Every structure is written in C-alpha cells, then in structure tokens.
Amino acid sequence: MRKFNIRKVLDGLTAVSSAASASSAAQQQQAGNRESEIQETLQSEHFQLCKTVRHGFPYQPSALAFDPVQKILAIGTQTGALRLFGRPGVECYCQHDSGAAVIQLQFLINEGALVSALADDTLHLWNLRQKRPAILHSLKFNRERITFCHLPFQSKWLYVGTERGNIHIVNVESFTLSGYVIMWNKAIELSSKSHPGPIVHISDNPMDEGKLLIGFESGTVVLWDLKSKKADYRYSHDEAIHSVAWHHEGKQFICSHSDGTLTIWNVKSPTKPFQTITPHGKQLKDGKKPEPCKPILKVEYKTTRAGEPFIILSGGLSYDTVGRRPCLTVMHGKSTAVLEMDYSIVDFLTLCETPYPNDFQEPYAVVVLLEKDLVLIDLAQNGYPIFENPYPLTIHESPVTCCEYFADCPVDLIPALYSVGARQKRQGYSKKEWPISGGNWGLITQSYPEIIITGHADGSIKFWDASAITLQVLYKLKTAKVFEKSRNKDDRPNTDIVDEDPYAIQIISWCPESRMLCIAGVSAHVIIYRFSKQEVTTEVIPMLEVRLLYEINDIESPDGEQVPPLPTPGTGSNPQSIVPQSHPSTSSSSSDGLRDNVPCLKVKNSPLKQSPGYQIELVIQLVWVSGEPPQQITSLAVNSAYGLVVFGNCNGIAMVDYLQKTVLLNLGTIELYGSNDPYRREPRSPRKTRQPSGGLCDINEGTMVPEDRCKSPTSDVKDNSFSRSRSSSVTSIDKESREAISALHFCETFTRKADTSPSPCLWVGTTLGTVLVIVLNLPPGGEQRLLQPVIVSPSGTILRLKGAILRMAFLDTTGSLVSPAHEPWREHNIPEDKDEKDKSKKRRPVSVSPSSSQEISENQYAVICSEKQAKVISLPSQNCIYKQNITETSFVLRGDIVSLSNSICLACFCANGHIMTFSLPSLRPLLDVYYLPLTNMRIARTFCFTNNGQALYLVSPTEIQRLTYSQETCENLQEMLGELFTPVETPEAPNRGFFKGLFGGGAQSLDREELFGESASGKASRSLAQHIPGPGGIEGVKGAASGVVGELARARLALDERGQKLGELEEKTAAMLYSADSFSKHAHEMMLKYKDKKWYQF
C-alpha cells in the first residue's frame, strides 16, 4: 500500500504533475486548461488527527468514586478506562495504558487528584488539575495482589489491603511505600486457626484516627491500634464479610454478610453483635433464625441530625425471588424501601453534606452505578424519586446498529427537533438540581450546529445535538410502531427473515434542508418520514409492496420495461394496500405451495396517531418471491426536490415516487446493464441456492464491507443474534452473479457524452465497481407533479472502478461541491392559502452551489470513491482526469466527500486502520495517519466523516468516540474542553475550636508522618513494589504548582480564624492556578510577608 507521511507530502505538487502518474497524457491534454483554473487551497498543514471527546455510558463499569467538595464523579471500567463527570457538559475520558480492570478509585478530596487501583496490582495517581488528566506516579506491587484501598480525608497516607491479608501504606505525594506493615498473622494472632482471607475493608475510626478497622473476608474484623502496633479488639462472625461501615460517632460499626444479614457491633463488645438484621428474610415463628438470603454486597450507615440514620444496601434479597430485578434497599427508621433497578448493581455511593467522617452525615442522594446505567436517587423527597440524568448515557438504550453525522446543518433544525422532543420527556423526576455539579465549561470556539443520528436494534432512531463537543438527545422516533407486534413467539409470522430485532435500522438517509428522512430496516423494509409540528391521525398507513427479483435466465421478462404495468391489487397484509409489481400475482403462495408475495412484517391496519415530529409518508416492503425471502437493502437515497426514493440490494434496484405512491423502477442488477453487461453470468438453478435469510454475502473475495451486511447490527451486543438467520450460503453461485447496489446518488448533471446541459439523474454504484446512470424525466411542479408520471430510463453510461463503489459526489467548474437539489422544508399538515399555492407552483428545487446555472452547464466533475481507488471524471466528456489508488492490500470502509476550511476533500477510513484525506479534484494525498486497526464490525458499520474536519464511530457498544482531522480544531481543543478542578474552600470541620481547627478537627488526631515516615518505620522492601514516574510533563508541573496553591488556601483559612481578610492573597492564589510560571514569585512574596511571625500568630 502506498504510504504518505503527513509531513513529507509535497505541498508544491501541482494538480498536473500529480495527474501524470495517474492518467494518460492524452486525457490530460483533453482536460486541458480547465483543471488548472481550479485553485486548491487545502494543504497538508491543514490536517491533524486527534481524538476529541467520548460520549455515552462507560462500557463495563467496575468502580465508582465521588469528591464531595469538588462534586466530581469518577467511574472506572473493566478495560482500564476512567470517565470523570462534573456538571452537565463537563466530561473527561482517560485510559490506563495496561488496559487492566479498575478495581477501586479514591479521590484526594478537594486536592484535584485521584488514585486508581487496577487488577494488575498497580496504583496510579492522576492529576485532575489539567484539562486532560495525566498520571503523575504509578506503583506496581510485585508479590501481593491489591484487594482494597482506603485514603482518610486530608491524609497523604493510603492504606492498601492485599489478598494475603496484609496492609501496606503508601505516601501519595511521593508514591513510595512506608516501612510500616500490618501483617495478617499479627492482626488476628490466635483468634483464628486458619488464614482469615483477603482484606475486604479498611477504615479509620471517625473519632480516633489512630484506630484502624480491618475487615477480612472470612468474617473476622480487627480494630488495630496504629501507635502500639497491636489489635485492641477482634470481632468474629461465622459468615463471610462483604463490606463494613462506621456510625459517625465511632462507637458502632455495621457489617454486611454473605447470608443476607447485617450485624451491628459495639466497638467495646467484641464477643457478639449488638444487633443482627436480615432486611429481606422471612421472620419464622418460634424464634428461629430467618431463612438465609442472597449476599448483601455493600452497606452504608449514614446519620442525620434531625432523625433516624439511613442504612442503605445492595443485594440481600431472599432466594425465592426468582426473576426479580436487582434492588437497592433504603432503611430509614421503621420504613424499608426496596428500589428496583433495570440492571445489576456494580456499586453505589451515598452523597452527604459533609466530607468529615466524624460529623452527622446528612445524606441527600445515592449514586447507583448499574451495569448499563447511572441512577441518582433523591433521599430528601418522599418516595425517593430519581434525578433526571443530564448526561448522554442512553446511546445504548437499544443497541446501536448504524449512525450518521451532520456538521454545519441549517440553524433552525436543532430548535425544531428539540421542541418536538421536549414533549417526549418523562415526568416524576426529583425537583432538585443535579447534584454532580463540579468543574467549568470550556470556551465555545465552534459555532456551527452538529447533529448525530443513531439507528437502533428496536427500530428507534435518536437525533442528538452534538454541537461544540457536547452531546444531548433532541428527539426519539420509534419506527416499529407502524407494524403489528407479535405478542409471543408462537404468534410470529413465519415470514420473519431474522430471529431477533426484526425492526433494526440498517441505513439512514436524511436531507437536513427539507427534513425528509428515509430508513431501511433489516426486514427489507423502507419507511419515508416527513417532519411536521402538528399532530395528525393517519386513517390508513400508505404502503407499497415491491417484488424485487433476481433472474439471469429470464432477461427477456416483462420487468425489463421501464414503465411498470398498472398496479395490481394484491393480497398484502393491508387490505387497502396497492401492490405494484412486475410479475402480477394475487396469491400469497405460488402453485407449488411456496411462500410468495408476502412481506416480512405486517403493517397496522388501524388508524395511527402521529405526534409532532417525524410522521410516516410511505412504507415500502420487499416481498417473498416463490419461497425466496427478500434480500436485505444495501443502499438507500431520498430526494425531496424530485419526490423520489431509491433503494437496492443484491437482487436489484427499485425506485418509488413517494408523492404519487407508485413504483417507477424495478430492475434486476443485470437488467440495468441492458446489452452492455461486461460479465458472464451463470443462469441460476431454481432454488438450489436458496438463502435461509436475506443476507448479502460473499460478493467480492477478500472484502469485508459486503460481508458486514450479513452480520447482525447487534452481534457485538447480543451474542450474534442474527448470525443464524443470515448465514452465508451463496457459495454455490458464481460470485459475480450476486452483484449488489452499494451506492446511490441523485444529482443534476450530464448523463451522456453528447449532453449540452445537465438534467436530473440517479447515479448507481455496484459492488463490482460499476457506475451506471439513470435519467429522470420529471413533470412540472405544483399539481402537475402529482398527476403526470415520472419517466425513468437507463442512459447507457457505464463507468468502471476497482472494488465496490462507496460514495459519489459532483463538483462544478470552480471545484465547489454541487449539493443534490432539495425542497425547503414547509409544514404539510396546514392547508395552504391561495397565494402559497401559487408560490409552490413556481417554487423551483434548490441546488446549493456557489456557481450560477450558466456555469454548471459548462463542465462538471464526478468524484467516485470505491473500496480500492478514487477517480475524478470530467463531464460530459466522461474522461478520467485524476485517479488515486487508495490502497492495494486493504480496502476502504468509509469514504466521504466533505468540506473543510472553505474547500473540499475526500476522507477515507481503511480496514488496515489508516485515515487518509485527498484534495479535490486532483486527489493529492494530504493526510495518511495510522489510527486504529479494524478490530470489530461495529467500527466499520458506524465510522463516518462529516464537514469541518469531524468524524466519529462507536468505540464500544455504549460509547461514541469523536475525533477531528482538522489542524484548527486540534489547536482549539484545549480551550473547548471543560475544567474538572475548580478552587473551592474545604468546609469547616465539625465543632471547630481554635486548636481543633489548627490540627485537623478530629477528636483524636494522629501524626501519621511520625508513625509511617522513614525515620520511624524504616524503608519498605524494594522487591515488594516498583515506583514508575508518570508522563505528567509540564502539565504535571502546573498541577504540582496549583497543589501548593491549595496549601496556601488552607493557610488562609487558618488566618481567617483571626479575622484577617487576605483578599490580596485570594487573587494571587487564583492567578497561580492558571499560571505555573508566576508561582515562584508569588510564593516568595508570601514567605516575606509572614516569615517573622510565630506559629501561634496565625
């Protein structure tokens, strides 16, 4: 494959010299001076590739943490990802290089730092004081496995529990181990004859930092005195422990066990629990113990000043609740609320008013991290309502099967979609503000509207506002509601061609200007939608059934004619439906009893109420033919100016006039060629090669794009749910005989070499690299458009490329993109007055191009991109003036012609992981970067480029990754990203007196430095753990500088006790956060100001 280094591409390369290698001199001469008129402005320095943001729910979450002062939430995943959430619109994604699962996260509260513990026994310190967080230090444990970590509030010493039952202590500033170790055998001594198991809990007594509570998995709990290095008390229970939580007064703690019980212990009574509770156990008579329940995986014990404490737990349901959904239980006084969740609970945290563990906790909400959702429960309102989640975490509500990305849309689109989507919102949410409110938004440097459309397995379509690197759902459309639902599997029609998800969306075609939407679904169905702000009730759903047949041995059949016979009433699923078809047939099964003329889905025959938004204009379904299921649709295009929709599969192509509701064209792929067919095709033996399903398979040897369409859109998610029903069984047919339609493009251009003016036409690309042109003869506008037929006829023009055709576009003489004609949007459900009608008669379709119509007639260029190469063809002469072989050894998965910096280019994503851009029309290589290899079909199916250097793909079943290939956006990205850390004062400690305020506010404080420092405890064994410095760089220096700013802020708080207002210092502190360079000067001024004062003068 030809590699182009981004920096080494010669910008001075002229269009002609580039063409010399690609096309013959004769062609060049003929193309002549015209090409040299086009000034190409894009150069390689306009391009740079970088990831921008990741949206959606963190895939396979495994850990959760919250900073109660900064109000930032962190989620770790099984693939080593770290997602940080602040206020809506402030999000951040980071990745641990090892990819190991995150087992625990611990914030350094209000310090702008986070410690992550991974399954590969590494600890990492993240600096969150920069827009893109980075690792400052890492520590790799060599001999022991990490199971639990605990970092006390305002402490720099992290307790690390291991699988062997030992506790090591890490200094989080230097990320070095202390020589102080609590060995398991010393902790339990003779209280147990066997090993107590791994550490499952560590916490210090809220009222005495010198006492450490250690929970072992087997059921033993030890209260360890850090100073005397011995156990004060040992608490033994015969059920395994899952979690432990303190009462804030430090006199009681609660344990959750594997038999569904909770035990509450008085600290000074280690012999037996003060109380045992089985929250979900059935109380038996005769004082017997309740039946055992499922394990309580986590418990939290939170106190309130005004009333009873809250005990919140996950798990613990009785074993007879088979099929019951996972639950979170909230016990408050005598009331017990059981809150059912949609997915299993990974972790939960109670959000409290204070960060201090020795104060009344005053819990106000619970964050519940589920396997596929994030739920926040309001504890302050009756009934515990949930908060409305403002983050875009519902991308995967139903698995994503396709997506499209539109940048620089009409400005009125987002408000229009938002207004119809606002009516779809659920009621009953908490009235309070979303409590995760940390961080600050970045600067908005991009002002153009961006929309992402996702198609889903359940037939739903979601429109998202994606402007300025944010994401917000605008509107959801359910396409399945037009069809009859089968209530159970027995009711299912035997015409299904897929086992699951019969409504899954495969292709989306959308015209943003006219707002016309067209979708193709997995059951060989196409639905056309029109946008309206009015609610309507459709009495009869307009529908057509199309019989698309592939016959080689029947070329002289009547469906070679362009004008179809009169529509014949058929026995479709809808009594009112008209079935225009080339081979009229009025029976649902042919003479030999095979299924015939029936669609895969049944359209509802009752009136359909359609809310404001997208409303059905027409439903088109392909039908079974003589026992053959319809093949799935492989390409789709809609044009609002012409009132046409066209779609194709591996059998052929069909064009429908959606205004007149008639089929205009229904041709097998071979019949498109007429007598010009370049391939020798074997006649098909009757039904020997019947596919059990509608899959398009094995079209080109060594290609993956066609095969992709044989795979389930949800196969990544649902264990290959479609794979059985779409197996590849075309092997016995000659490969060429399954030529599919792979690209469709409506345009106004030259259809034949002899043309002197452009006319409306359709360009058709196939998987064998052929481009064919179909001429459209449209009646005049207004009422005549609805009365006279549209006449379509093949032009005879055939162009050839290597590999399946992916994308086509047209340039005018100035090299500007000629957009397909479109109707401007208008409200169809309001009767027009007379003046409006006259206007609409005169209204001409809009074709957006900078050049005038006179210039269009001079010359045009067709840009065609296939899996292997790109060509620019001069029209009407049809000479290939530029050619670029994009890849020899791989193939292009996605190619888009996009605008960037007031110019246009071709952007390609190859299966070998390369992203490339080429200038137009000369196809000079401008960018070639190895980005990511194709690891699964989800990426191939969802990758798309759009204008202004934007692109996206589905990086996991729940997340969208956005990237940019624009140098300008890369440079502005830092400004656009939100800030996670904001300088916030730490709340006052409870009952703060003068000395307590000075020494940290605990009832019994501890000089940990004296205990764990090197002078007291010695050095740790070198072989135990290995320190790895992180790649913090200059950002790390800034973070360290702002860390000292935090120290200064704390000093200022102490000074405030004496009423000394340091407004001057306040300003300097804020300034230092943003400028590491001026830090030393400010610190020096501080030192001079206070150097002669004694400690007690503060």
Side-chain angles (χ1 to χ4, degrees):
M1 107 138 241
R2 192 183 296 178
K3 290 193 176 175
F4 300 101
N5 186 310
I6 180 173
R7 293 288 168 220
K8 291 186 182 172
V9 173
L10 295 171
D11 296 331
L13 213 59
T14 60
V16 178
S17 66
S18 165
S21 63
S23 53
S24 69
Q27 284 177 331
Q28 242 175 53
Q29 218 170 358
Q30 198 173 354
N33 302 323
R34 269 182 190 152
E35 279 71 66
S36 58
E37 291 166 17
I38 298 176
Q39 292 295 312
E40 291 183 6
T41 55
L42 284 180
Q43 306 296 347
S44 58
E45 60 261 25
H46 289 112
F47 294 88
Q48 185 184 339
L49 195 72
C50 71
K51 292 179 182 179
T52 52
V53 282
R54 185 174 288 204
H55 302 297
F57 182 76
Y59 184 54
Q60 296 179 324
S62 56
L64 181 67
F66 183 69
D67 184 325
V69 180
Q70 286 287 321
K71 297 206 170 350
I72 296 281
L73 187 79
I75 296 175
T77 75
Q78 291 178 30
T79 53
L82 189 58
R83 290 285 293 279
L84 296 142
F85 296 90
R87 65 180 60 196
V90 177
E91 279 183 44
C92 182
Y93 158 75
C94 319
Q95 178 69 47
H96 293 91
D97 291 340
S98 67
V102 179
I103 54 173
Q104 204 177 343
L105 295 169
Q106 289 265 297
F107 274 102
L108 278 67
I109 292 171
N110 205 25
E111 294 285 346
L114 175 77
V115 173
S116 57
L118 269 57
D120 63 356
D121 309 306
T122 52
L123 295 172
H124 304 274
L125 178 66
W126 288 87
N127 174 17
L128 309 182
R129 291 171 181 254
Q130 55 196 63
K131 289 192 170 184
R132 291 204 176 225
I135 292 173
L136 290 173
H137 300 282
S138 299
L139 195 64
K140 169 89 172 104
F141 279 74
N142 298 321
R143 297 197 308 232
E144 298 203 48
R145 309 223 61 183
I146 299 169
T147 55
F148 193 88
C149 297
H150 170 62
L151 181 68
F153 179 44
Q154 292 183 325
S155 164
K156 68 173 185 181
W157 297 96
L158 173 77
Y159 301 109
V160 181
T162 69
E163 200 171 46
R164 288 188 186 174
N166 303 326
I167 293 177
H168 301 278
I169 297 163
V170 176
N171 181 331
V172 290
E173 285 178 359
S174 62
F175 243 54
T176 52
L177 275 177
S178 162
Y180 192 117
V181 182
I182 304 170
M183 302 301 286
W184 68 271
N185 50 356
K186 194 93 189 291
I188 65 160
E189 280 190 346
L190 303 172
S191 63
S192 168
K193 290 177 183 174
S194 57
H195 189 280
I199 302 275
V200 293
H201 178 83
I202 308 168
S203 60
D204 40 350
N205 184 322
M207 286 296 181
D208 187 351
E209 295 171 350
K211 309 288 188 197
L212 201 64
L213 195 70
I214 305 163
F216 294 93
E217 191 180 66
S218 65
T220 300
V221 178
V222 173
L223 188 68
W224 181 263
D225 186 312
L226 289 164
K227 285 181 182 168
S228 64
K229 299 187 181 179
K230 65 177 200 300
D232 281 358
Y233 300 104
R234 296 184 180 89
Y235 313 85
S236 290
H237 195 65
D238 47 11
E239 287 296 335
I241 289 176
H242 285 275
S243 75
V244 185
W246 278 103
H247 185 283
H248 85 272
E249 290 172 350
K251 294 172 184 173
Q252 281 187 339
F253 61 88
I254 188 168
C255 301
S256 76
H257 299 279
S258 56
D259 63 345
T261 59
L262 298 171
T263 53
I264 298 175
W265 301 78
N266 282 337
V267 168
K268 294 185 176 175
S269 307
T271 49
K272 64 170 189 169
F274 161 71
Q275 191 183 355
T276 302
I277 311 165
T278 312
H280 296 284
K282 290 176 183 162
Q283 294 300 324
L284 302 172
K285 290 174 184 174
D286 311 328
K288 288 181 184 171
K289 277 173 72 176
E291 291 176 4
C293 295
K294 293 173 185 172
I296 295 175
L297 301 174
K298 183 171 182 179
V299 65
E300 293 207 337
Y301 196 6
K302 302 296 179 185
T303 52
T304 58
R305 268 191 179 83
E308 301 277 347
F310 281 86
I311 295 176
I312 301 164
L313 55 117
S314 63
L317 294 178
S318 62
Y319 280 102
D320 58 6
T321 52
V322 179
R324 188 167 180 183
R325 293 193 293 182
C327 293
L328 186 83
T329 306
V330 181
M331 300 167 74
H332 185 221
K334 291 184 178 173
S335 78
T336 300
V338 180
L339 309 174
E340 287 200 340
M341 302 290 156
D342 290 337
Y343 307 99
S344 55
I345 297 171
V346 174
D347 198 0
F348 73 88
L349 287 173
T350 311
L351 307 190
C352 300
E353 295 291 353
T354 177
Y356 293 94
N358 60 346
D359 194 7
F360 285 100
Q361 299 297 287
E362 304 295 349
Y364 60 89
V366 184
V367 184
V368 190
L369 178 62
L370 305 175
E371 205 174 36
K372 293 184 181 176
D373 202 1
L374 182 73
V375 176
L376 247 84
I377 296 159
D378 185 350
L379 289 178
Q381 268 181 262
N382 286 339
Y384 305 132
I386 64 167
F387 289 88
E388 184 175 8
N389 196 322
Y391 304 137
L393 302 182
T394 57
I395 291 168
H396 64 288
E397 192 174 20
S398 168
V400 176
T401 51
C402 64
C403 60
E404 292 295 337
Y405 189 8
F406 300 86
D408 219 2
C409 304
V411 289
D412 57 347
L413 253 182
I414 289 175
L417 288 164
Y418 181 82
S419 66
V420 294
R423 304 170 196 222
Q424 301 176 327
K425 293 211 168 161
R426 278 178 50 193
Q427 301 299 312
Y429 289 113
S430 167
K431 306 279 191 295
K432 291 189 178 164
E433 289 283 308
W434 181 252
I436 302 162
S437 55
N440 281 319
W441 293 306
L443 295 171
I444 307 290
T445 56
Q446 292 177 352
S447 55
Y448 51 86
E450 296 174 71
I451 290 176
I452 294 170
I453 307 179
T454 52
H456 300 264
D458 64 355
S460 62
I461 286 176
K462 286 183 183 171
F463 290 78
W464 305 82
D465 175 3
S467 311
I469 69 168
T470 61
L471 193 69
Q472 182 186 3
V473 71
L474 290 169
Y475 169 70
K476 180 178 175 181
L477 170 67
K478 295 178 179 174
T479 67
K481 69 180 183 183
V482 71
F483 300 110
E484 298 278 6
K485 292 270 193 335
S486 49
R487 286 184 178 79
N488 55 48
K489 286 191 176 174
D490 304 334
D491 286 358
R492 268 199 191 162
N494 53 6
T495 51
D496 275 11
I497 56 170
V498 288
D499 293 348
E500 291 178 57
D501 301 326
Y503 313 111
I505 307 294
Q506 279 194 306
I507 310 172
I508 297 167
S509 177
W510 187 50
C511 172
E513 290 77 16
S514 67
R515 304 185 190 172
M516 288 301 292
L517 172 71
C518 192
I519 64 100
V522 80
S523 295
H525 62 281
V526 170
I527 310 177
I528 304 152
Y529 289 92
R530 207 185 273 281
F531 186 85
S532 170
K533 293 179 180 177
Q534 306 292 317
E535 185 177 285
V536 294
T537 300
T538 308
E539 294 298 322
V540 177
I541 296 164
M543 62 167 282
L544 286 172
E545 288 173 4
V546 176
R547 192 179 164 94
L548 198 54
L549 192 61
Y550 175 86
E551 289 286 3
I552 294 177
N553 49 1
D554 195 15
I555 283 181
E556 284 74 46
S557 68
D559 50 338
E561 299 163 26
Q562 268 68 56
V563 183
L566 288 171
T568 314
T571 56
S573 54
N574 190 328
Q576 290 84 10
S577 71
I578 299 297
V579 189
Q581 51 198 28
S582 311
H583 300 270
S585 163
T586 50
S587 62
S588 61
S589 61
S590 56
S591 54
D592 51 359
L594 291 165
R595 201 171 294 128
D596 195 39
N597 253 22
V598 283
C600 301
L601 301 172
K602 189 176 180 194
V603 174
K604 283 180 181 171
N605 51 20
S606 53
L608 183 70
K609 183 178 158 189
Q610 302 200 69
S611 305
Y614 274 102
Q615 297 170 351
I616 291 162
E617 174 81 3
L618 180 63
V619 179
I620 307 163
Q621 287 186 280
L622 294 182
V623 294
W624 286 67
V625 178
S626 310
E628 281 277 341
Q631 302 295 299
Q632 276 164 13
I633 290 156
T634 54
S635 58
L636 173 72
V638 64
N639 187 288
S640 57
Y642 307 156
L644 303 179
V645 66
V646 63
F647 55 94
N649 63 10
C650 62
N651 281 346
I653 186 171
M655 192 188 296
V656 169
D657 179 341
Y658 64 76
L659 298 175
Q660 294 187 26
K661 315 281 189 281
T662 54
V663 179
L664 301 174
L665 182 74
N666 180 355
L667 286 178
T669 321
I670 306 141
E671 295 160 306
L672 274 173
Y673 288 95
S675 57
N676 300 331
D677 189 355
Y679 301 109
R680 183 184 64 79
R681 306 180 194 246
E682 298 296 320
R684 217 182 66 164
S685 55
R687 282 190 291 283
K688 262 185 202 165
T689 55
R690 188 193 153 211
Q691 277 184 282
S693 71
L696 162 65
C697 308
D698 284 345
I699 285 156
N700 281 357
E701 289 177 275
T703 70
M704 279 170 74
V705 169
E707 288 179 5
D708 170 29
R709 295 167 190 134
C710 309
K711 292 200 166 78
S712 149
T714 53
S715 57
D716 298 310
V717 188
K718 283 199 174 177
D719 189 30
N720 293 319
S721 58
F722 293 2
S723 54
R724 291 187 305 287
S725 59
R726 278 200 250 172
S727 60
S728 166
S729 55
V730 198
T731 45
S732 58
I733 311 176
D734 175 19
K735 290 275 170 76
E736 266 79 21
S737 67
R738 298 302 257 187
E739 181 176 16
I741 308 297
S742 58
L744 295 162
H745 189 84
F746 284 108
C747 55
E748 201 160 314
T749 187
F750 301 91
T751 53
R752 300 179 181 89
K753 288 183 182 180
D755 283 3
T756 53
S757 62
S759 57
C761 57
L762 171 73
W763 284 52
V764 180
T766 77
T767 49
L768 291 183
T770 306
V771 176
L772 304 133
V773 183
I774 293 172
V775 182
L776 311 174
N777 200 329
L778 299 161
E783 287 172 17
Q784 290 300 310
R785 174 66 187 83
L786 300 174
L787 299 172
Q788 294 182 28
V790 177
I791 297 165
V792 294
S793 54
S795 66
T797 295
I798 294 183
L799 305 168
R800 300 273 303 131
L801 273 79
K802 216 166 34 170
I805 305 297
L806 299 179
R807 191 76 63 220
M808 296 176 280
F810 294 85
L811 313 181
D812 63 16
T813 30
T814 65
S816 303
L817 196 62
V818 179
S819 300
H822 61 264
E823 282 272 296
W825 177 78
R826 63 185 176 85
E827 180 57 73
H828 273 257
N829 290 326
I830 297 175
E832 292 179 293
D833 56 31
K834 192 169 184 300
D835 294 346
E836 282 291 317
K837 273 194 175 170
D838 292 342
K839 275 185 202 169
S840 71
K841 277 182 190 174
K842 292 170 191 167
R843 188 189 287 127
R844 283 183 58 85
V846 183
S847 181
V848 183
S849 170
S851 33
S852 68
S853 56
Q854 188 185 352
E855 282 181 310
I856 289 178
S857 63
E858 286 178 18
N859 201 15
Q860 273 189 359
Y861 305 100
V863 181
I864 305 168
C865 175
S866 80
E867 287 180 334
K868 293 286 187 183
Q869 60 182 193
K871 282 186 181 180
V872 174
I873 289 159
S874 178
L875 298 176
S877 67
Q878 295 181 14
N879 289 328
C880 173
I881 54 169
Y882 299 110
K883 183 171 91 173
Q884 178 67 252
N885 289 323
I886 300 168
T887 173
E888 298 291 343
T889 54
S890 184
F891 55 93
V892 179
L893 288 162
R894 176 85 183 204
D896 286 293
I897 290 101
V898 290
S899 64
L900 177 72
S901 306
N902 299 317
S903 190
I904 52 166
C905 64
L906 167 66
C908 298
F909 171 53
C910 280
N912 61 9
H914 283 254
I915 286 176
M916 306 183 209
T917 61
F918 302 92
S919 70
L920 287 174
S922 70
L923 295 174
R924 270 183 307 125
L926 297 170
L927 173 81
D928 182 359
V929 174
Y930 178 72
Y931 176 67
L932 88 164
L934 180 66
T935 48
N936 57 45
M937 293 314 296
R938 182 183 58 248
I939 297 171
R941 212 171 28 243
T942 56
F943 200 104
C944 44
F945 297 96
T946 187
N947 297 331
N948 297 342
Q950 308 289 349
L952 67 78
Y953 61 97
L954 212 68
V955 68
S956 75
T958 62
E959 294 164 291
I960 285 173
Q961 177 68 56
R962 286 165 73 178
L963 52 144
T964 182
Y965 47 97
S966 153
Q967 170 72 32
E968 188 186 356
T969 308
C970 287
E971 284 174 0
N972 294 335
L973 186 60
Q974 194 68 11
E975 285 178 25
M976 293 167 71
L977 293 171
E979 282 185 281
L980 287 165
F981 180 78
T982 46
V984 181
E985 291 182 10
T986 302
E988 282 197 10
N991 309 320
R992 247 174 121 173
F994 173 70
F995 282 114
K996 281 185 185 171
L998 194 62
F999 288 115
Q1004 294 283 319
S1005 65
L1006 171 78
D1007 187 345
R1008 295 188 180 95
E1009 184 69 47
E1010 194 181 293
L1011 269 178
F1012 306 144
E1014 201 173 301
S1015 56
S1017 61
K1019 286 189 175 181
S1021 163
R1022 282 190 178 181
S1023 61
L1024 184 62
Q1026 170 192 356
H1027 176 258
I1028 305 156
I1034 185 66
E1035 290 281 9
V1037 175
K1038 286 184 185 173
S1042 51
V1044 183
V1045 175
E1047 294 295 329
L1048 291 170
R1050 279 195 281 281
R1052 192 181 62 74
L1053 282 175
L1055 285 157
D1056 278 351
E1057 292 275 315
R1058 295 282 312 271
Q1060 296 177 22
K1061 301 296 178 191
L1062 299 175
E1064 199 177 310
L1065 179 61
E1066 175 93 48
E1067 286 168 16
K1068 287 176 185 170
T1069 305
M1072 278 189 277
L1073 186 67
Y1074 295 102
S1075 172
D1077 309 329
S1078 61
F1079 163 68
S1080 58
K1081 186 182 77 177
H1082 292 169
H1084 186 64
E1085 285 173 19
M1086 287 295 304
M1087 187 262 299
L1088 292 175
K1089 194 170 180 182
Y1090 299 113
K1091 77 172 181 182
D1092 296 323
K1093 294 193 179 184
K1094 304 293 183 198
W1095 66 269
Y1096 49 77
Q1097 289 176 295
F1098 284 78

